[in-house]
Coordinates of all heavy atoms in Angstrom, one line a residue:
A25 N 20.1 4.1 44.9 CA 20.6 3.6 46.1 C 20.5 2.0 46.1 O 19.6 1.4 45.6 CB 19.8 4.1 47.3
A26 N 21.5 1.3 46.8 CA 21.5 0.0 46.9 C 20.5 -0.5 47.9 O 20.2 0.2 48.8 CB 22.8 -0.5 47.4
P27 N 19.9 -1.6 47.7 CA 18.8 -2.1 48.6 C 19.5 -2.5 49.9 O 20.7 -2.9 50.0 CB 18.3 -3.4 47.9 CG 19.3 -3.8 46.9 CD 20.0 -2.6 46.5
A28 N 18.8 -2.4 51.0 CA 19.4 -2.7 52.3 C 19.6 -4.2 52.4 O 18.9 -5.0 51.8 CB 18.3 -2.3 53.4
P29 N 20.7 -4.6 53.1 CA 20.9 -6.0 53.2 C 19.8 -6.7 54.1 O 19.2 -6.1 54.9 CB 22.3 -6.0 53.9 CG 22.4 -4.7 54.6 CD 21.6 -3.7 53.7
A30 N 19.6 -8.0 53.8 CA 18.6 -8.8 54.5 C 19.0 -8.8 56.0 O 20.2 -9.0 56.3 CB 18.4 -10.1 54.0
P31 N 18.0 -8.7 56.9 CA 18.4 -8.9 58.3 C 18.9 -10.2 58.7 O 18.5 -11.2 58.0 CB 17.0 -8.6 59.1 CG 16.0 -8.8 58.0 CD 16.6 -8.5 56.7
A32 N 19.8 -10.3 59.6 CA 20.3 -11.6 60.0 C 19.3 -12.4 60.8 O 18.4 -11.8 61.3 CB 21.6 -11.3 60.9
P33 N 19.4 -13.7 60.7 CA 18.5 -14.5 61.5 C 18.5 -14.1 63.0 O 19.6 -13.8 63.5 CB 18.9 -16.0 61.3 CG 19.8 -15.9 60.1 CD 20.4 -14.6 60.0
S34 N 17.2 -14.0 63.6 CA 17.3 -13.6 65.0 C 17.6 -14.8 65.9 O 16.9 -15.8 65.8 CB 15.9 -13.1 65.4 OG 14.9 -14.0 65.2
T35 N 18.6 -14.7 66.8 CA 18.9 -15.7 67.7 C 19.3 -15.0 69.0 O 19.6 -13.7 69.0 CB 20.1 -16.6 67.3 OG1 21.3 -15.7 67.0 CG2 19.8 -17.3 66.0
S36 N 19.4 -15.6 70.0 CA 20.1 -15.1 71.2 C 21.2 -16.0 71.6 O 21.3 -17.1 71.1 CB 19.0 -15.1 72.4 OG 18.6 -16.4 72.6
G37 N 22.1 -15.4 72.4 CA 23.3 -16.2 72.8 C 24.5 -15.9 72.0 O 25.5 -16.6 72.2
G38 N 24.4 -15.1 70.9 CA 25.5 -14.6 70.2 C 26.0 -15.6 69.1 O 26.9 -15.3 68.4
A39 N 25.3 -16.7 68.9 CA 25.7 -17.6 67.9 C 25.0 -17.3 66.6 O 23.9 -16.7 66.5 CB 25.4 -19.1 68.3
S40 N 25.6 -17.7 65.5 CA 24.9 -17.5 64.1 C 23.8 -18.5 64.1 O 23.9 -19.5 64.5 CB 25.8 -17.7 63.1 OG 26.4 -19.0 63.1
G41 N 22.7 -18.1 63.5 CA 21.5 -18.8 63.4 C 21.4 -19.8 62.2 O 22.5 -19.8 61.5
P42 N 20.4 -20.6 62.0 CA 20.4 -21.4 60.9 C 20.2 -20.6 59.7 O 19.8 -19.5 59.7 CB 19.1 -22.2 61.2 CG 18.3 -21.4 62.2 CD 19.3 -20.7 63.0
V43 N 20.5 -21.2 58.5 CA 20.3 -20.5 57.3 C 18.8 -20.3 57.1 O 18.1 -21.3 57.1 CB 20.9 -21.3 56.1 CG1 20.7 -20.6 54.8 CG2 22.4 -21.5 56.3
L44 N 18.5 -19.0 56.8 CA 17.0 -18.7 56.7 C 16.8 -18.2 55.3 O 17.4 -17.2 54.9 CB 16.6 -17.8 57.8 CG 15.2 -17.4 58.0 CD1 14.4 -18.7 58.5 CD2 15.0 -16.4 59.0
D45 N 15.8 -18.8 54.6 CA 15.4 -18.3 53.3 C 14.2 -17.3 53.6 O 13.2 -17.8 53.8 CB 15.0 -19.4 52.4 CG 14.7 -19.0 51.0 OD1 14.4 -17.7 50.8 OD2 14.6 -19.8 50.1
E46 N 14.4 -16.0 53.4 CA 13.4 -15.1 53.7 C 12.2 -15.1 52.8 O 11.2 -14.6 53.1 CB 14.0 -13.6 53.7 CG 15.1 -13.3 54.7 CD 14.5 -13.1 56.1 OE1 13.3 -13.1 56.3 OE2 15.4 -13.3 57.0
S47 N 12.4 -15.8 51.7 CA 11.3 -16.0 50.7 C 10.3 -17.0 51.1 O 9.3 -17.1 50.4 CB 11.8 -16.1 49.2 OG 12.3 -17.5 49.2
K48 N 10.6 -17.8 52.1 CA 9.8 -18.9 52.5 C 9.2 -18.8 53.8 O 9.8 -18.0 54.6 CB 10.6 -20.2 52.5 CG 11.2 -20.7 51.3 CD 12.0 -22.0 51.5 CE 12.5 -22.6 50.1 NZ 13.3 -23.8 50.3
P49 N 8.1 -19.3 54.1 CA 7.5 -19.3 55.5 C 8.5 -19.6 56.6 O 9.2 -20.7 56.4 CB 6.3 -20.1 55.5 CG 6.0 -20.3 54.1 CD 7.3 -20.2 53.4
S50 N 8.5 -19.0 57.7 CA 9.4 -19.3 58.8 C 8.7 -19.1 60.2 O 7.6 -18.7 60.2 CB 10.6 -18.3 58.8 OG 10.2 -17.0 59.0
T51 N 9.3 -19.7 61.1 CA 8.8 -19.7 62.5 C 9.9 -19.5 63.5 O 11.0 -19.8 63.2 CB 8.0 -20.9 62.8 OG1 7.3 -20.8 64.1 CG2 8.8 -22.1 62.9
S52 N 9.6 -19.0 64.7 CA 10.6 -19.0 65.8 C 10.3 -20.2 66.7 O 9.2 -20.7 66.9 CB 10.4 -17.8 66.6 OG 10.7 -16.6 65.9
I53 N 11.4 -20.9 67.0 CA 11.4 -22.1 67.9 C 12.2 -21.7 69.2 O 13.4 -21.3 69.0 CB 11.9 -23.3 67.3 CG1 10.9 -23.7 66.1 CG2 12.0 -24.5 68.2 CD1 11.3 -24.9 65.4
Q54 N 11.7 -22.0 70.4 CA 12.5 -21.7 71.6 C 13.1 -23.1 71.9 O 12.3 -24.2 71.9 CB 11.5 -21.3 72.7 CG 12.3 -21.0 74.0 CD 11.4 -20.5 75.2 OE1 11.4 -21.1 76.1 NE2 10.6 -19.5 74.9
I55 N 14.3 -23.1 72.2 CA 15.0 -24.4 72.6 C 15.5 -24.3 74.0 O 16.3 -23.4 74.3 CB 16.1 -24.6 71.6 CG1 15.6 -24.7 70.1 CG2 16.8 -26.0 72.0 CD1 16.7 -24.5 69.1
R56 N 15.1 -25.1 74.8 CA 15.7 -25.2 76.3 C 16.8 -26.3 76.2 O 16.5 -27.4 76.0 CB 14.6 -25.5 77.2 CG 13.5 -24.4 77.3 CD 12.4 -24.8 78.4 NE 11.4 -23.9 78.3 CZ 11.3 -22.7 79.1 NH1 12.2 -22.6 79.9 NH2 10.1 -21.9 78.9
L57 N 17.9 -25.7 76.5 CA 19.1 -26.6 76.3 C 19.4 -27.4 77.6 O 18.9 -27.0 78.7 CB 20.4 -25.7 76.0 CG 20.3 -25.0 74.7 CD1 21.4 -24.0 74.5 CD2 20.2 -25.9 73.5
A58 N 20.1 -28.5 77.5 CA 20.4 -29.4 78.6 C 21.1 -28.6 79.7 O 21.0 -29.0 80.9 CB 21.1 -30.6 78.1
D59 N 21.9 -27.5 79.4 CA 22.6 -26.8 80.5 C 21.7 -25.8 81.2 O 22.1 -25.0 82.1 CB 23.8 -26.2 80.0 CG 23.5 -25.0 78.8 OD1 22.4 -24.7 78.8 OD2 24.5 -24.6 78.3
G60 N 20.4 -25.7 80.9 CA 19.5 -24.9 81.5 C 19.3 -23.6 80.8 O 18.3 -22.9 81.2
S61 N 20.1 -23.3 79.9 CA 19.9 -22.0 79.2 C 18.8 -22.2 78.0 O 18.4 -23.4 77.7 CB 21.2 -21.5 78.6 OG 21.7 -22.5 77.6
R62 N 18.5 -21.2 77.4 CA 17.5 -21.3 76.2 C 17.9 -20.3 75.2 O 18.5 -19.3 75.4 CB 16.0 -21.0 76.7 CG 15.9 -19.7 77.2 CD 14.4 -19.4 77.7 NE 14.2 -18.1 78.1 CZ 13.2 -17.4 78.1 NH1 12.0 -18.0 77.7 NH2 13.1 -16.1 78.4
V63 N 17.6 -20.7 74.0 CA 17.8 -19.9 72.8 C 16.6 -19.9 72.0 O 15.8 -20.8 72.1 CB 19.0 -20.4 72.0 CG1 20.4 -20.3 72.7 CG2 18.7 -21.8 71.5
V64 N 16.4 -18.9 71.2 CA 15.3 -18.8 70.3 C 15.9 -18.5 68.9 O 16.8 -17.7 68.7 CB 14.3 -17.6 70.6 CG1 13.3 -17.5 69.5 CG2 13.7 -17.7 72.0
A65 N 15.5 -19.4 67.9 CA 16.0 -19.3 66.6 C 14.9 -19.4 65.6 O 13.8 -19.9 65.9 CB 17.0 -20.5 66.3
K66 N 15.1 -18.7 64.4 CA 14.1 -18.8 63.4 C 14.6 -19.8 62.4 O 15.7 -20.0 61.9 CB 14.0 -17.4 62.6 CG 13.2 -16.4 63.4 CD 13.0 -15.1 62.6 CE 11.8 -15.3 61.8 NZ 11.3 -14.1 61.2
F67 N 13.6 -20.6 62.0 CA 13.8 -21.7 61.0 C 12.7 -21.6 59.9 O 11.6 -21.2 60.2 CB 13.7 -23.1 61.6 CG 14.7 -23.4 62.6 CD1 14.6 -23.1 64.0 CD2 15.8 -24.1 62.2 CE1 15.6 -23.5 64.9 CE2 16.9 -24.5 63.1 CZ 16.8 -24.1 64.3
N68 N 13.1 -22.0 58.7 CA 12.0 -22.1 57.6 C 11.1 -23.3 58.1 O 11.6 -24.3 58.6 CB 12.5 -22.3 56.3 CG 13.2 -21.0 55.8 OD1 14.4 -21.1 55.6 ND2 12.5 -20.0 55.6
L69 N 9.8 -23.3 57.6 CA 9.0 -24.4 57.9 C 9.4 -25.7 57.3 O 9.0 -26.8 57.8 CB 7.5 -24.0 57.6 CG 6.9 -23.0 58.5 CD1 5.5 -22.6 57.9 CD2 6.9 -23.3 59.9
D70 N 10.1 -25.6 56.2 CA 10.6 -26.9 55.5 C 11.9 -27.4 56.1 O 12.5 -28.4 55.6 CB 10.7 -26.7 54.0 CG 11.6 -25.6 53.6 OD1 12.2 -24.9 54.5 OD2 11.8 -25.4 52.3
A71 N 12.5 -26.7 57.1 CA 13.7 -27.2 57.7 C 13.3 -28.5 58.5 O 12.2 -28.7 58.9 CB 14.3 -26.2 58.6
T72 N 14.4 -29.2 58.8 CA 14.0 -30.4 59.4 C 14.5 -30.5 61.0 O 15.2 -29.6 61.4 CB 14.9 -31.7 58.8 OG1 16.2 -31.4 58.9 CG2 14.5 -31.8 57.4
V73 N 14.1 -31.5 61.7 CA 14.4 -31.8 63.1 C 16.0 -32.0 63.1 O 16.7 -31.5 64.0 CB 13.8 -33.0 63.7 CG1 14.3 -33.3 65.0 CG2 12.2 -32.8 63.8
G74 N 16.5 -32.5 62.1 CA 18.0 -32.7 62.0 C 18.7 -31.3 62.0 O 19.7 -31.1 62.5
A75 N 18.0 -30.3 61.3 CA 18.5 -28.9 61.3 C 18.5 -28.3 62.6 O 19.5 -27.6 63.0 CB 17.8 -28.1 60.3
I76 N 17.6 -28.6 63.4 CA 17.4 -28.1 64.8 C 18.6 -28.7 65.6 O 19.3 -28.0 66.4 CB 16.1 -28.4 65.5 CG1 15.1 -27.7 64.6 CG2 16.1 -28.0 66.9 CD1 13.6 -28.1 65.0
R77 N 18.8 -30.0 65.4 CA 20.0 -30.8 66.1 C 21.3 -30.1 65.8 O 22.1 -29.8 66.6 CB 20.0 -32.2 65.8 CG 19.0 -33.0 66.5 CD 19.3 -34.4 66.1 NE 18.1 -35.3 66.6 CZ 17.9 -35.6 67.7 NH1 18.8 -35.3 68.8 NH2 16.8 -36.3 68.1
A78 N 21.5 -29.7 64.5 CA 22.8 -29.2 64.0 C 23.0 -27.8 64.6 O 24.0 -27.5 65.0 CB 22.8 -29.1 62.5
Y79 N 21.8 -27.1 64.8 CA 21.9 -25.7 65.3 C 22.3 -25.8 66.7 O 23.1 -25.0 67.2 CB 20.5 -25.0 65.1 CG 20.5 -23.7 65.9 CD1 21.2 -22.6 65.4 CD2 19.7 -23.6 67.1 CE1 21.2 -21.4 66.1 CE2 19.8 -22.4 67.8 CZ 20.4 -21.3 67.2 OH 20.5 -20.1 68.0
I80 N 21.6 -26.7 67.5 CA 22.0 -26.9 68.9 C 23.6 -27.2 69.0 O 24.2 -26.7 70.0 CB 21.2 -28.0 69.5 CG1 19.7 -27.5 69.7 CG2 21.8 -28.4 70.9 CD1 18.7 -28.6 70.0
R81 N 24.0 -28.1 68.2 CA 25.5 -28.5 68.3 C 26.3 -27.2 67.9 O 27.4 -27.0 68.5 CB 25.8 -29.6 67.3 CG 25.2 -30.9 67.8 CD 25.8 -32.1 67.0 NE 25.3 -33.3 67.5 CZ 24.2 -34.0 67.0 NH1 23.6 -33.6 65.9 NH2 23.8 -35.1 67.6
S82 N 25.8 -26.3 67.1 CA 26.6 -25.1 66.7 C 26.6 -24.1 67.9 O 27.7 -23.4 68.1 CB 26.1 -24.5 65.5 OG 24.8 -23.8 65.7
V83 N 25.5 -24.0 68.6 CA 25.5 -23.1 69.8 C 26.1 -23.6 71.0 O 26.5 -22.9 71.9 CB 24.1 -22.5 70.0 CG1 23.6 -21.7 68.8 CG2 23.1 -23.5 70.5
R84 N 26.2 -24.9 71.1 CA 26.8 -25.7 72.2 C 27.7 -26.7 71.8 O 27.6 -27.9 72.0 CB 25.7 -26.2 73.3 CG 24.9 -25.2 73.9 CD 25.7 -24.4 74.9 NE 24.9 -23.4 75.7 CZ 24.6 -22.2 75.3 NH1 25.0 -21.8 74.1 NH2 23.8 -21.4 76.1
P85 N 28.9 -26.3 71.2 CA 29.8 -27.3 70.7 C 30.4 -28.3 71.7 O 30.8 -29.3 71.4 CB 30.9 -26.5 69.9 CG 30.8 -25.1 70.5 CD 29.3 -24.9 71.0
N86 N 30.4 -27.8 73.0 CA 31.0 -28.5 74.0 C 29.9 -29.3 74.9 O 30.1 -29.8 76.0 CB 31.8 -27.7 75.0 CG 33.1 -27.2 74.3 OD1 33.6 -27.9 73.5 ND2 33.4 -26.0 74.6
G87 N 28.6 -29.2 74.3 CA 27.5 -29.9 75.0 C 27.5 -31.3 74.8 O 28.4 -31.9 74.2
P88 N 26.5 -32.0 75.3 CA 26.4 -33.5 75.1 C 26.4 -33.8 73.6 O 25.7 -33.3 72.8 CB 25.1 -33.9 75.7 CG 24.3 -32.7 76.0 CD 25.3 -31.5 75.9
A89 N 27.2 -34.9 73.3 CA 27.3 -35.3 71.9 C 26.1 -36.1 71.5 O 25.6 -35.9 70.4 CB 28.5 -36.3 71.8
N90 N 25.5 -36.9 72.4 CA 24.2 -37.6 72.1 C 23.2 -37.1 73.0 O 23.4 -36.9 74.2 CB 24.4 -39.1 72.4 CG 25.5 -39.7 71.5 OD1 25.4 -39.5 70.3 ND2 26.4 -40.4 72.0
F91 N 22.1 -36.6 72.4 CA 21.0 -36.0 73.1 C 19.7 -36.3 72.4 O 19.7 -36.5 71.2 CB 21.2 -34.5 73.4 CG 21.3 -33.7 72.1 CD1 20.3 -33.2 71.5 CD2 22.6 -33.3 71.6 CE1 20.3 -32.4 70.3 CE2 22.7 -32.6 70.4 CZ 21.6 -32.2 69.8
S92 N 18.7 -36.2 73.2 CA 17.3 -36.4 72.6 C 16.6 -35.0 72.6 O 17.0 -34.1 73.4 CB 16.6 -37.4 73.3 OG 16.3 -37.0 74.6
L93 N 15.7 -34.9 71.8 CA 14.9 -33.6 71.7 C 13.4 -34.1 72.0 O 12.9 -35.2 71.5 CB 14.9 -33.0 70.4 CG 16.3 -32.4 70.0 CD1 16.2 -31.8 68.5 CD2 16.7 -31.4 71.0
Q94 N 12.6 -33.2 72.6 CA 11.2 -33.5 72.8 C 10.5 -32.2 72.7 O 10.9 -31.2 73.2 CB 10.9 -34.3 74.0 CG 11.3 -33.6 75.4 CD 11.1 -34.5 76.6 OE1 11.3 -35.7 76.5 NE2 10.7 -33.8 77.7
L95 N 9.2 -32.3 72.4 CA 8.4 -31.2 72.3 C 7.7 -31.0 73.7 O 7.3 -32.0 74.3 CB 7.2 -31.5 71.3 CG 6.2 -30.3 71.1 CD1 6.8 -29.0 70.6 CD2 5.1 -30.8 70.1
Q96 N 7.9 -29.8 74.2 CA 7.4 -29.5 75.5 C 5.9 -29.4 75.4 O 5.2 -28.5 74.9 CB 7.9 -28.2 76.1 CG 7.4 -27.9 77.5 CD 8.1 -26.7 78.1 OE1 9.3 -26.6 78.0 NE2 7.4 -25.9 78.7
D97 N 5.2 -30.5 75.8 CA 3.8 -30.7 75.6 C 3.4 -31.6 76.8 O 4.3 -32.1 77.5 CB 3.5 -31.2 74.3 CG 2.1 -31.0 73.9 OD1 1.2 -30.4 74.6 OD2 1.7 -31.2 72.7
F98 N 2.2 -31.9 76.9 CA 1.7 -32.9 77.9 C 0.9 -34.0 77.2 O -0.2 -33.7 76.7 CB 1.0 -32.3 79.1 CG 0.8 -33.3 80.2 CD1 1.7 -33.5 81.0 CD2 -0.4 -34.0 80.3 CE1 1.7 -34.5 82.1 CE2 -0.6 -34.9 81.3 CZ 0.4 -35.2 82.1
P99 N 1.4 -35.2 77.2 CA 2.7 -35.6 77.6 C 3.8 -35.1 76.5 O 3.5 -34.8 75.4 CB 2.7 -37.1 77.6 CG 1.6 -37.5 76.6 CD 0.6 -36.3 76.5
P100 N 5.2 -35.0 77.1 CA 6.1 -34.7 76.2 C 6.2 -35.6 74.9 O 6.1 -36.8 75.0 CB 7.4 -34.7 76.9 CG 6.9 -34.7 78.4 CD 5.5 -35.3 78.3
K101 N 6.4 -35.0 73.8 CA 6.5 -35.9 72.5 C 8.0 -36.0 72.1 O 8.6 -34.9 71.7 CB 5.7 -35.2 71.4 CG 5.7 -35.8 70.1 CD 5.0 -34.9 69.1 CE 5.2 -35.5 67.7 NZ 4.6 -34.5 66.7
P102 N 8.5 -37.2 72.1 CA 9.9 -37.2 71.5 C 10.1 -36.9 70.0 O 9.1 -37.2 69.3 CB 10.3 -38.7 71.8 CG 9.0 -39.4 72.1 CD 7.9 -38.4 72.3
L103 N 11.2 -36.2 69.7 CA 11.4 -35.9 68.3 C 12.5 -36.8 67.8 O 13.6 -36.4 67.9 CB 11.8 -34.4 68.2 CG 10.6 -33.5 68.7 CD1 11.1 -32.0 68.7 CD2 9.4 -33.6 67.9
N104 N 12.2 -37.9 67.3 CA 13.2 -39.0 66.9 C 13.5 -38.9 65.4 O 14.5 -39.5 65.0 CB 12.7 -40.3 67.4 CG 12.7 -40.4 68.8 OD1 13.4 -39.8 69.6 ND2 11.7 -41.2 69.4
D105 N 12.6 -38.3 64.6 CA 12.7 -38.5 63.2 C 13.4 -37.2 62.7 O 12.8 -36.1 62.5 CB 11.4 -38.6 62.5 CG 11.5 -38.7 61.0 OD1 12.6 -38.7 60.5 OD2 10.4 -38.8 60.4
D106 N 14.8 -37.3 62.5 CA 15.5 -36.1 62.0 C 15.1 -35.7 60.6 O 15.4 -34.5 60.2 CB 17.0 -36.4 62.0 CG 17.6 -36.3 63.4 OD1 16.9 -36.0 64.3 OD2 18.8 -36.6 63.6
A107 N 14.4 -36.5 59.8 CA 14.0 -36.0 58.5 C 12.7 -35.3 58.5 O 12.2 -34.7 57.5 CB 13.9 -37.3 57.5
A108 N 12.0 -35.4 59.6 CA 10.7 -34.7 59.7 C 10.9 -33.2 59.6 O 11.8 -32.6 60.1 CB 10.0 -35.1 61.1
T109 N 10.0 -32.5 58.9 CA 10.0 -31.1 58.8 C 9.3 -30.4 59.9 O 8.6 -31.1 60.6 CB 9.3 -30.6 57.5 OG1 8.0 -30.9 57.6 CG2 10.0 -31.2 56.2
I110 N 9.7 -29.1 60.1 CA 9.1 -28.4 61.3 C 7.5 -28.3 61.1 O 6.8 -28.5 62.0 CB 9.8 -27.0 61.4 CG1 11.2 -27.2 61.9 CG2 9.0 -26.1 62.3 CD1 12.1 -26.0 61.8
A111 N 7.2 -28.1 59.8 CA 5.7 -28.0 59.6 C 5.1 -29.3 59.8 O 4.0 -29.4 60.4 CB 5.4 -27.6 58.1
G112 N 5.7 -30.4 59.3 CA 5.1 -31.8 59.4 C 5.1 -32.3 60.8 O 4.1 -33.1 61.1
A113 N 5.9 -31.9 61.6 CA 6.0 -32.3 63.0 C 5.3 -31.4 63.9 O 5.1 -31.7 65.2 CB 7.4 -32.5 63.6
G114 N 4.6 -30.4 63.4 CA 3.8 -29.4 64.2 C 4.7 -28.6 65.2 O 4.2 -28.4 66.2
L115 N 5.9 -28.2 64.7 CA 6.8 -27.4 65.6 C 6.8 -26.0 65.4 O 7.6 -25.3 66.1 CB 8.3 -28.0 65.4 CG 8.4 -29.5 65.6 CD1 9.8 -30.0 65.4 CD2 8.0 -29.9 67.1
A116 N 5.9 -25.4 64.7 CA 5.9 -24.0 64.5 C 5.6 -23.3 65.8 O 4.6 -23.7 66.5 CB 4.9 -23.5 63.4
N117 N 6.4 -22.4 66.2 CA 6.3 -21.6 67.4 C 6.4 -22.5 68.7 O 5.7 -22.1 69.7 CB 5.0 -20.8 67.4 CG 5.0 -19.7 66.4 OD1 6.0 -19.0 66.2 ND2 3.9 -19.6 65.6
A118 N 6.9 -23.6 68.6 CA 7.1 -24.5 69.6 C 8.2 -24.3 70.6 O 9.1 -23.5 70.4 CB 7.2 -26.0 69.0
V119 N 8.1 -25.0 71.7 CA 9.2 -25.0 72.7 C 9.7 -26.4 72.7 O 9.0 -27.4 72.9 CB 8.7 -24.6 74.2 CG1 9.9 -24.8 75.1 CG2 8.2 -23.3 74.1
I120 N 11.0 -26.6 72.4 CA 11.7 -27.8 72.3 C 12.7 -28.0 73.4 O 13.4 -27.1 73.8 CB 12.4 -28.0 71.0 CG1 11.3 -28.0 69.8 CG2 13.2 -29.3 71.0 CD1 12.0 -28.1 68.5
V121 N 12.7 -29.1 74.1 CA 13.6 -29.4 75.2 C 14.7 -30.4 74.7 O 14.4 -31.4 74.2 CB 13.0 -29.9 76.4 CG1 13.8 -30.2 77.6 CG2 11.7 -29.0 76.9
Q122 N 16.0 -30.0 75.1 CA 17.1 -31.0 74.8 C 17.4 -31.7 76.1 O 17.4 -31.2 77.2 CB 18.3 -30.1 74.5 CG 19.6 -31.1 74.4 CD 20.9 -30.2 74.4 OE1 20.9 -29.2 74.9 NE2 21.9 -30.7 73.6
R123 N 17.4 -33.1 75.9 CA 17.7 -33.9 77.1 C 19.0 -34.7 76.8 O 19.2 -35.3 75.8 CB 16.6 -35.0 77.2 CG 15.3 -34.4 77.5 CD 15.0 -34.1 78.9 NE 13.7 -33.5 79.2 CZ 13.4 -32.6 80.1 NH1 14.4 -32.1 80.8 NH2 12.2 -32.3 80.3
A124 N 19.9 -34.6 77.8 CA 21.2 -35.3 77.6 C 21.1 -36.7 78.0 O 20.2 -37.1 78.6 CB 22.2 -34.6 78.6

């Protein structure tokens, strides 16, 4: 029998998720979008903040062209380095807020 296909990345909102390498460690990140909705997506820990931005643009192509991201924390931490990895920026299982 053929092996079962790998499960699709888990997302909500009906959009396709980021490319997920099942052989690497991953995490779920909740993203609160500027329009008030939220999505949860799985990312590999070596994915970058830039990959999160690209994912947001893919799920909300008509959303704000320029936006900032911040870690929902106290105080909120801006996520300005698109080259930072999810692991390096401490974003595993985090809640990220999009600000228009």
